[in-house]
Amino acid sequence: SLVKFISEFRSKEEHSKIRYLVRFSNVLLLISTLVFFLVFFMLSEYLAINVFKDERLIFPFRLFAFLIPIWALTNSFREVIFSYGKISQHSFLVNIFPTVANVLFLGIFIFIGLGVNAVFWSYALSLVLVFIISFFLLRKCIDIFKKDDKLPKKVKKNVRKSLLSYSLPFVFVSLLIKLHTWADSLFLGYFASIREVGLYSAALPIALLLSLT
């Protein structure tokens, strides 16, 4: 939805609306993801022991709980960058840098002896780096901290209303898509072990590639 509204406001040179839209959407996103963080963090031990039956998952669950707000804001920043036509920067932040950083950190952490936890820490640090780089590239597109005193309250209200009315249906659809995507791994983790989940996650992409031949 950010891409839609930012493109519209840019065509009309309504930069104050863009700044307000980005600030409001990110604050709303931060609040909602902090709720998810708290819920998932508190349920991490229960899910690891009672659902997946492996206490080794407590640490990665809690680590990923901390990453939920960072992941959501990073996606928001990248959407703003894309909306400003920075296609090469967006592609770099989505397709190139995360993979390179993840592999690099993974090799370093395995070398220093972190074992299985190297996978989790490499993902976490690469995501934090993408978040930082995305934020600085966002600031080059638009100064989100500049005050918009000239923007009337009625206009701000209309911006909020338009964003929410357009975005809310996509929230539920996105949740259903994510649930559908992870359903097989979740059920496998419940009825089997994390070893089988790992083997399945590695074999599935290969099987999908073979189906194209």
Side-chain angles (χ1 to χ4, degrees):
S1 58
L2 282 178
V3 175
K4 173 185 180 299
F5 288 107
I6 291 177
S7 300
E8 289 181 2
F9 295 153
R10 282 188 67 203
S11 64
K12 301 174 183 177
E13 297 187 356
E14 296 176 326
H15 302 293
S16 296
K17 284 187 177 181
I18 297 177
R19 283 191 290 270
Y20 179 74
L21 173 70
V22 174
R23 284 202 304 269
F24 173 74
S25 61
N26 284 326
V27 169
L28 188 64
L29 194 62
L30 181 60
I31 294 173
S32 59
T33 52
L34 284 176
V35 173
F36 280 106
F37 152 69
L38 291 173
V39 172
F40 191 62
F41 185 86
M42 290 186 294
L43 291 176
S44 296
E45 186 173 350
Y46 174 82
L47 291 173
I49 296 175
N50 296 288
V51 178
F52 294 97
K53 301 176 180 62
D54 194 332
E55 63 180 11
R56 292 176 297 176
L57 291 175
I58 297 176
F59 167 72
F61 281 174
R62 289 178 175 173
L63 178 62
F64 289 142
F66 277 105
L67 295 176
I68 291 174
I70 298 175
W71 171 79
L73 289 174
T74 300
N75 286 335
S76 175
F77 295 164
R78 290 187 297 200
E79 287 301 303
V80 176
I81 294 169
F82 181 81
S83 302
Y84 272 83
K86 309 294 183 180
I87 308 301
S88 59
Q89 296 178 2
H90 179 268
S91 179
F92 174 76
L93 291 171
V94 174
N95 301 313
I96 301 175
F97 184 80
T99 303
V100 173
N102 202 357
V103 172
L104 180 62
F105 284 128
L106 182 62
I108 294 173
F109 292 148
I110 291 176
F111 178 77
I112 64 178
L114 287 185
V116 177
N117 288 334
V119 177
F120 310 127
W121 280 116
S122 63
Y123 175 79
L125 285 181
S126 62
L127 179 59
V128 170
L129 280 179
V130 174
F131 169 79
I132 295 173
I133 296 173
S134 300
F135 176 74
F136 280 107
L137 291 178
L138 168 69
R139 291 292 306 275
K140 287 187 176 182
C141 293
I142 185 169
D143 185 6
I144 59 175
F145 297 110
K146 183 179 179 180
K147 292 185 178 181
D148 300 312
D149 298 328
K150 296 181 179 180
L151 201 61
K153 292 183 178 180
K154 185 177 180 180
V155 175
K156 292 181 179 180
K157 182 179 179 180
N158 290 334
V159 170
R160 294 195 301 267
K161 184 178 179 180
S162 299
L163 176 67
L164 293 175
S165 62
Y166 183 85
S167 302
L168 284 178
F170 290 102
V171 173
F172 297 106
V173 173
S174 298
L175 289 175
L176 289 175
I177 292 174
K178 289 293 183 183
L179 182 61
H180 179 267
T181 303
W182 288 96
D184 49 358
S185 298
L186 291 174
F187 280 111
L188 187 61
Y190 179 79
F191 291 107
S193 66
I194 56 174
R195 181 177 181 274
E196 280 73 20
V197 176
L199 292 173
Y200 173 79
S201 300
L204 180 61
I206 299 175
L208 292 175
L209 286 175
L210 292 176
S211 66
L212 297 176
T213 60

